[in-house]
Amino acid sequence: MSKNTRVPGYMQSKAARNTRGIIGDREIRFKCSLQNTILDVLRGRPGWQEVPGPNIQQQNSQQNNKPAAGSQTSTQPQDGKGTKTGDGDWDFYWCDREWLHQNYDTMFLHEHQKILHFRNHYELTRKNLMVKNLKRLKKQTEREQGKSEGLSFDFHPTTYELPSEYHIFVEEFKRNPGITWIMKPAAKSQGKGIFLFRRLKDITDWKKGEYQPLTDTTREVPETYVVQRYIENPYLIGGRKFDIRIYVLVVSYNPLKVWLYRDGFARFSNTRFSLDSIEDAYVHLTNVSVQKNAPDYDPEKGCKWSTMRLRQYLTAKHGSEAVKKVFKGIDNIITKGLQSVQKIIINDKHCFEMYGYDILLDSDLKPWLIEINASPSLTASGKEDYELKFGLLNDLLNVLDLENRLTGKEKRIGGWDLLWDDGPVLADDGNMECTTNGTSVTTANSFLGCHNDRKRQLREIYTSAQAIKKT
Ligand code: ADP
């Protein structure tokens, strides 16, 4: 795709064409570790310039000659504007997690620089740590606000970390005979290493391979897994299981500031759901990376619905009140998840994170948190998926607003709605909801699965921000 054809619709408007990405007296320079939609978006952004960087391997080998932690001299730019050397030659960096881990502690960041990922994002995105942090906040909430408040944390299936909690797990296992459990490597993704089981002896092979007393000190520490209660009654559409991918943007942890993207998708399994075949990944794992290898997978049809289509389907079937409750539950999951690590994440005004939340609905329409990804896939599986991801990422850049074109007071920017700003954000008056007793209540500024007229909205906010800035 050429640079020109990458420019999305709203940017082709006259107003946008005239707007250059400029910091002070120069253009915005970006670096990008990925070769997918994000690179297209960055290259298509008016006035943004790509900084050709060394590839990851070179970066890694350079790492070996890196100065000691704490020393910033060699990475400091020479002209005070971030133009010459090392980490200073970019304004915006969509880096991968490894790069950040290797470089963050020795990096000097200038006032205007923005980089993807917080230093210890894994506190939320590693499966075992996510659950640990949620359990801790739940306990604290129960202590401070009472048991009933703790109930608002009951959205993740019962989970234990293995091998450390093996014995507690066995007790729980024995208390619930016959139910299905799912084993997942704590730090892997894309369904790798996952399996389901019902009998303890089904995990003896795993135990043999991974969970052995470390008598031999030269052996590696066994890989951490989580064992989790399997949701045996997922909500099915056309007999198939699905989970929902939701995009959440955190621009600050202190104070916590969170944006929620309206669009997302439901990822369906390719094969009808049944509890008879627990060894069949195509039935039980909804990851696209798994499903696309199914023998009867049709790449044209794919296995995705937009969140809007899902919301409409659920509304037609169960009515809008029931569906509002589902989506309110999802908002609760999003914010509780982030609050559980708010005090732990190393906050840095240069960092931001775009999370991919995976939520599963059960047959009672209860939303369950399955996991949170720090690097949700940005590779498009088709045209519609490309458009979704292109808009999502472009609007993410609009929220970060390196061009300084907005006022900073916006509650909606394109497809992103401000969900939390050091407290819940309420929708504008126009979105007040009427209760049955005639009083009105303001609703959360949350529009997941609602119409995403982002181009029109962007035109409006840019025009009004321009007018405000002139006065
Ligand atoms: P990964 O990081 O490898 O994608 P996930 O935790 O997201 O691992 O699990 C992969 C898939 O397995 C999910 O998308 C979901 O379809 C299914 N799954 C995971 N945990 C559960 C669970 N507790 N109950 C039901 N299905 C689950």
Side-chain angles (χ1 to χ4, degrees):
M1 191 180 276
S2 81
K3 182 164 173 158
N4 290 341
T5 54
R6 274 195 207 101
V7 178
Y10 84 90
M11 280 188 173
Q12 284 157 358
S13 73
K14 196 161 168 274
R17 256 203 326 267
N18 291 339
T19 313
R20 315 260 309 157
I22 285 174
I23 290 183
D25 57 354
R26 59 172 180 74
E27 293 180 319
I28 295 172
R29 288 159 310 186
F30 71 87
K31 269 173 105 168
C32 183
S33 297
L34 302 180
Q35 296 269 338
N36 55 30
T37 323
I38 181 61
L39 188 58
D40 290 349
V41 168
L42 290 165
R43 285 181 176 166
R45 203 129 171 121
W48 284 45
Q49 289 287 321
E50 186 168 357
V51 180
N55 63 33
I56 300 301
Q57 261 172 3
Q58 284 168 320
Q59 282 170 358
N60 287 345
S61 65
Q62 281 167 8
Q63 270 314 110
N64 300 331
N65 304 320
K66 195 171 75 162
S71 155
Q72 295 177 345
T73 41
S74 78
T75 54
Q76 286 219 21
Q78 293 162 10
D79 67 350
K81 274 194 196 168
T83 51
K84 289 267 164 59
T85 56
D87 302 315
D89 61 0
W90 48 267
D91 305 304
F92 180 90
Y93 193 0
W94 194 278
C95 69
D96 57 65
R97 286 169 295 171
E98 277 105 81
W99 191 91
L100 193 92
H101 289 161
Q102 288 169 358
N103 293 279
Y104 183 85
D105 295 338
T106 53
M107 208 160 52
F108 176 86
L109 290 171
H110 284 272
E111 185 65 23
H112 61 273
Q113 286 183 300
K114 286 275 178 203
I115 188 161
L116 179 66
H117 301 308
F118 287 89
R119 172 71 180 87
N120 54 345
H121 65 82
Y122 48 79
E123 289 286 347
L124 194 55
T125 55
R126 214 166 274 169
K127 295 175 179 65
N128 53 334
L129 298 182
M130 177 189 88
V131 171
K132 208 180 264 179
N133 286 317
L134 280 168
K135 282 181 184 171
R136 197 196 35 242
L137 186 61
K138 178 182 175 176
K139 270 201 192 126
Q140 187 192 329
T141 307
E142 284 177 344
R143 256 196 328 269
E144 290 169 3
Q145 299 170 40
K147 280 261 176 215
S148 59
E149 279 304 309
L151 294 177
S152 62
F153 285 85
D154 288 345
F155 51 71
H156 62 88
T158 306
T159 306
Y160 299 96
E161 181 186 284
L162 297 186
S164 62
E165 296 180 323
Y166 183 75
H167 296 291
I168 324 175
F169 160 65
V170 171
E171 281 170 32
E172 179 72 11
F173 180 90
K174 288 182 179 157
R175 270 198 294 274
N176 298 280
I179 69 165
T180 312
W181 294 86
I182 185 166
M183 283 277 279
K184 310 192 268 191
K188 291 212 171 94
S189 59
Q190 303 188 325
K192 288 184 199 123
I194 296 184
F195 63 94
L196 276 61
F197 67 96
R198 291 203 185 107
R199 296 169 305 181
L200 266 188
K201 79 179 182 50
D202 294 339
I203 56 168
T204 47
D205 283 350
W206 171 79
K207 274 175 71 186
K208 269 187 215 135
E210 308 270 357
Y211 173 54
Q212 285 178 357
L214 292 179
T215 41
D216 175 359
T217 47
T218 58
R219 272 192 58 207
E220 282 191 7
V221 175
E223 183 173 9
T224 303
Y225 270 68
V226 294
V227 60
Q228 190 168 75
R229 192 170 177 151
Y230 186 69
I231 295 164
E232 291 180 329
N233 61 330
Y235 189 96
L236 303 178
I237 296 181
R240 280 149 223 259
K241 171 181 174 175
F242 63 90
D243 69 359
I244 312 169
R245 167 54 55 88
I246 294 163
Y247 296 101
V248 173
L249 170 64
V250 176
V251 292
S252 160
Y253 265 98
N254 187 19
L256 185 61
K257 191 164 182 182
V258 185
W259 296 80
L260 169 62
Y261 200 67
R262 299 177 165 219
D263 275 346
F265 48 84
R267 306 177 297 184
F268 285 82
S269 67
N270 209 41
T271 314
R272 289 178 78 81
F273 185 76
S274 156
L275 280 171
D276 297 338
S277 49
I278 60 167
E279 67 299 325
D280 189 344
Y282 301 132
V283 174
H284 298 283
L285 311 189
T286 49
N287 309 63
V288 176
S289 44
V290 172
Q291 294 299 327
K292 70 180 183 201
N293 297 320
D296 49 349
Y297 177 74
D298 177 352
E300 284 305 307
K301 260 182 26 207
C303 48
K304 285 183 179 173
W305 270 18
S306 72
T307 315
M308 188 160 97
R309 183 169 173 197
L310 177 69
R311 190 170 182 144
Q312 285 167 346
Y313 175 92
L314 294 174
T315 306
K317 264 204 111 136
H318 304 280
S320 66
E321 284 312 311
V323 171
K324 270 186 205 152
K325 200 169 151 219
V326 173
F327 283 81
K328 212 169 156 187
I330 294 177
D331 291 349
N332 176 56
I333 293 175
I334 294 169
T335 45
K336 291 280 189 318
L338 299 170
Q339 285 168 335
S340 75
V341 293
Q342 197 187 347
K343 296 209 174 99
I344 299 171
I345 296 280
I346 299 164
N347 191 50
D348 182 334
K349 65 179 178 183
H350 303 286
C351 302
F352 66 96
E353 195 81 60
M354 188 181 78
Y355 296 105
Y357 276 65
D358 289 343
I359 306 273
L360 198 115
L361 297 185
D362 70 16
S363 53
D364 299 321
L365 284 179
K366 175 179 163 72
W368 293 93
L369 174 61
I370 298 298
E371 76 156 343
I372 304 174
N373 296 280
S375 304
S377 167
L378 301 178
T379 304
S381 58
K383 184 170 171 288
E384 234 176 84
D385 200 39
Y386 185 79
E387 277 164 17
L388 161 72
K389 286 170 177 160
F390 201 104
L392 165 86
L393 294 166
N394 236 316
D395 287 350
L396 180 148
L397 300 181
N398 292 333
V399 171
L400 296 179
D401 195 28
L402 267 73
E403 295 95 342
N404 194 19
R405 292 160 67 198
L406 294 170
T407 63
K409 301 234 170 354
E410 290 79 6
K411 273 166 52 173
R412 178 182 172 194
I413 299 175
W416 292 99
D417 296 292
L418 186 59
L419 183 68
W420 193 269
D421 189 6
D422 206 14
V425 177
L426 298 180
D428 288 332
D429 291 352
N431 292 308
M432 293 241 292
E433 184 194 350
C434 283
T435 56
T436 42
N437 63 9
T439 56
S440 59
V441 287
T442 37
T443 55
N445 193 44
S446 163
F447 299 91
L448 183 62
C450 296
H451 183 52
N452 185 9
D453 51 346
R454 49 180 289 277
K455 293 177 191 169
R456 182 201 56 76
Q457 200 270 346
L458 285 169
R459 275 195 295 273
E460 266 176 33
I461 55 166
Y462 281 124
T463 310
S464 93
Q466 222 173 7
I468 292 168
K469 285 190 167 193
K470 269 189 195 150
T471 56

